[in-house]
Amino acid sequence: MDKHEESSEFTGLSRDEIVGAFEELLKSKDIQELLPVVEEIDSAYKARNDEREEEERQEFLDNGGYAADFVLQKDKTDSKFTELYNIFRDRKDKFREEQKAQTLDNLYAKRKVIDDLKALIEKGDSVGKAFQQFRELRDKWNATGDVQKKEEQQLESDYRFQRERFFHLIHITQGMKELDLQKHTEEKENILRQMEELLQERTIRKAETLIRKFHNDWYDIGPVTPSKKDEVIKRFNDLTNKVYAKIRGHYETLKRKYEENLQAKVALCEKVESLDFEELNSHRNWERKTKEILDFQTEWRKTGRASKEDADAIWERFRNACNVFFERKRAFYETLKKDNTANKQAKLKICEQAEAFQNNTAWDDTAHQLIRLQKQWEKSGPAGNPKDEQQLWKRFRAACDFFFEAKKQHFAAAEDARKNNLAAREAIIKKLEELIPSIASKEAMPAIKAITREWDEAGEVPNASKEALFKKYTQTLDACYEKMGMEPADKELLQYNNKLERMRNAPDASRLLDDERKFVRNKIRSLEDEIAKLENNMGFFAKSSKTNILLQGVQENVNQNKEQLTFFRKKLDALEKAAPRKAEVR
């Protein structure tokens, strides 16, 4: 089993404990023993550092900081780990260089053994002397270290070939004794038993090492009893095939696992690379997407390794994709910080304007101004720090609440007054109703006028009661005029005054009275122009009986227009009393 995939002894340690263990291993282990262990140490330390970073980031955010401003500060433990890792890396690089040079020396040494073995066979010395030389060459071969994989198979094949030649051409041709053949048979059967046990070995690296040793030992032993030869060779070949099938099966499974891990890592790369940065236009969206990226990174760490050929390239791809994300995030928050500063100043100005309005008693106009400021506030962006945002909002809301509470209290008092005015006006109508039976002539006019003055001086009533109340008042007043026998013109003027009263009490009184004033003044100008035109035309008529009749008709027309002019001037006077004009700006 691959050591990296076994349970790591460093998983539950703290960062300081991991660093301590790393330092001890560097002192006590050689580089070959360290190679498979340091990867686990590095992975465990990074996992602990990720946990520390997340905790410190959250604490930073809880204290009001911005995610974009957070930077994990390196501490003494980080510096010590980096120092130890650099020592390991230097030793590893040196070892690789030495190993590379050593494999080349080993290649030359093993080729020399093969050449010497070939020369020994061809020389044909005595058996005793040949065996002594063979053992020396075999010891040299076994003592020589590994060579590069691409050279190893051919070297092994050449060595076995020459070794077989030696045994057949030297030992067998010299008439090996039966005892030696039996001994070789027993030794090879012992190897076969160990190979059978090897099928149960769970550690693949150990199985690989032992099968190579068994093969080397097998070919060093020499020939077996002829009657056992075929059986022993068949068992050896069968067991060899089974052991290597097991090893191949492990590496095929591992290869598939590496491929699955690679595909999982490619999928994570594609997820990060496919991010739509256009939709990341708010703090909330960036925080949500950051959590996704951190989850991807956690998932990456949980995903097993890819093959050595793919590991560096896929990690570089994933890291670059993540770096692009965090760089874009940093740029976004730099821009956001500038925008937040501008928004904060804008909201501060809105607060100051609201506070300037809060004591104003021009209720409608001020309410409109504050509503306008509220809309500006809604459109303005965030002010950055949540605490600043909250303080500004409290300040703005306090100014608005102060004004609208004062307005509410004012109009509550005004509504109470309207209710009192309603009762007063109803009492006035009752007075008129009680007066009607006693009216006999125009002498009742002073009493009626006194009552209408009371009506005019009475204050506003609730809007819901205005129309019905005024209708009842005008009907009662008309009944009084009817009982008095009033002239139509006087009655019309009084009715006009009642009309003005209705306008004055209407919600849009100002507009209605202005429109009425324009109409009356235009009518007056029209009548004046018409009278002047008629009087001017009368000067052109010659004196005769026929023209006198025509002049008489025009004169009657002039008189009618003058009567209308007099009535409209009275209307204008009534208008000015009901609603005096504001001074015109010239």
Side-chain angles (χ1 to χ4, degrees), residues 98-159:
E98 292 174 351
Q99 193 178 42
K100 185 176 180 181
Q102 186 61 51
T103 56
L104 190 59
D105 292 342
N106 294 341
L107 176 64
Y108 295 146
K110 287 195 171 187
R111 282 178 176 169
K112 180 69 167 57
V113 169
I114 293 171
D115 291 341
D116 290 347
L117 182 55
K118 182 178 179 182
L120 175 62
I121 294 168
E122 293 172 353
K123 187 176 180 183
D125 287 342
S126 64
V127 173
K129 186 177 180 181
F131 263 108
Q132 178 61 34
Q133 292 176 344
F134 171 77
R135 291 189 186 95
E136 291 173 359
L137 291 173
R138 181 186 63 188
D139 292 342
K140 283 184 181 179
W141 179 271
N142 292 334
T144 305
D146 294 334
V147 299
Q148 292 185 2
K149 292 291 183 183
K150 62 182 180 179
E151 307 283 354
E152 184 177 23
Q153 186 175 359
Q154 185 61 48
L155 279 173
E156 289 286 347
S157 177
D158 292 346
Y159 177 68

Side-chain angles (χ1 to χ4, degrees), residues 503-504 506-517 579 582:
M503 289 182 179
R504 195 165 65 86
D508 53 346
S510 179
R511 181 185 63 79
L512 292 174
L513 290 169
D514 282 345
D515 289 347
E516 181 67 15
R517 182 182 287 107
K582 295 179 182 178

Side-chain angles (χ1 to χ4, degrees), residues 538 540-554:
M538 287 173 64
F540 294 106
F541 287 101
K543 292 184 177 180
S544 67
S545 57
K546 290 183 180 180
T547 56
N548 285 338
I549 296 172
L550 185 59
L551 277 171
Q552 188 176 0
V554 174

Side-chain angles (χ1 to χ4, degrees), residues 22-134:
F22 193 7
E23 188 170 21
E24 286 300 317
L25 287 170
L26 282 173
K27 293 176 182 178
S28 61
K29 302 289 185 182
D30 62 32
I31 191 63
Q32 286 178 286
E33 293 176 301
L34 283 173
L35 285 174
V37 179
V38 172
E39 187 174 356
E40 295 178 8
I41 291 175
D42 186 48
S43 178
Y45 189 81
K46 286 179 179 177
R48 283 287 174 265
N49 237 17
D50 288 344
E51 293 172 3
R52 169 188 166 226
E53 181 176 8
E54 188 59 31
E55 290 171 0
E56 293 190 11
R57 184 196 305 275
Q58 190 58 51
E59 182 179 356
F60 180 77
L61 295 177
D62 292 342
N63 289 330
Y66 288 102
D69 295 335
F70 174 76
V71 177
L72 180 67
Q73 300 297 326
K74 291 186 178 297
D75 57 12
K76 292 181 179 179
T77 307
D78 289 326
S79 299
K80 184 63 176 178
F81 182 84
T82 301
E83 176 188 345
L84 295 175
Y85 195 88
N86 288 338
I87 293 172
F88 162 75
R89 187 178 57 196
D90 291 342
R91 287 175 60 183
K92 183 182 71 171
D93 292 344
K94 183 178 179 182
F95 170 73
R96 296 295 189 202
E97 289 298 322
E98 292 174 351
Q99 193 178 42
K100 185 176 180 181
Q102 186 61 51
T103 56
L104 190 59
D105 292 342
N106 294 341
L107 176 64
Y108 295 146
K110 287 195 171 187
R111 282 178 176 169
K112 180 69 167 57
V113 169
I114 293 171
D115 291 341
D116 290 347
L117 182 55
K118 182 178 179 182
L120 175 62
I121 294 168
E122 293 172 353
K123 187 176 180 183
D125 287 342
S126 64
V127 173
K129 186 177 180 181
F131 263 108
Q132 178 61 34
Q133 292 176 344
F134 171 77

Side-chain angles (χ1 to χ4, degrees), residues 411-427:
F411 281 102
E415 188 63 21
D416 290 340
R418 287 190 183 95
K419 291 178 181 177
N420 293 332
N421 295 338
L422 176 62
R425 286 183 181 269
E426 287 175 340

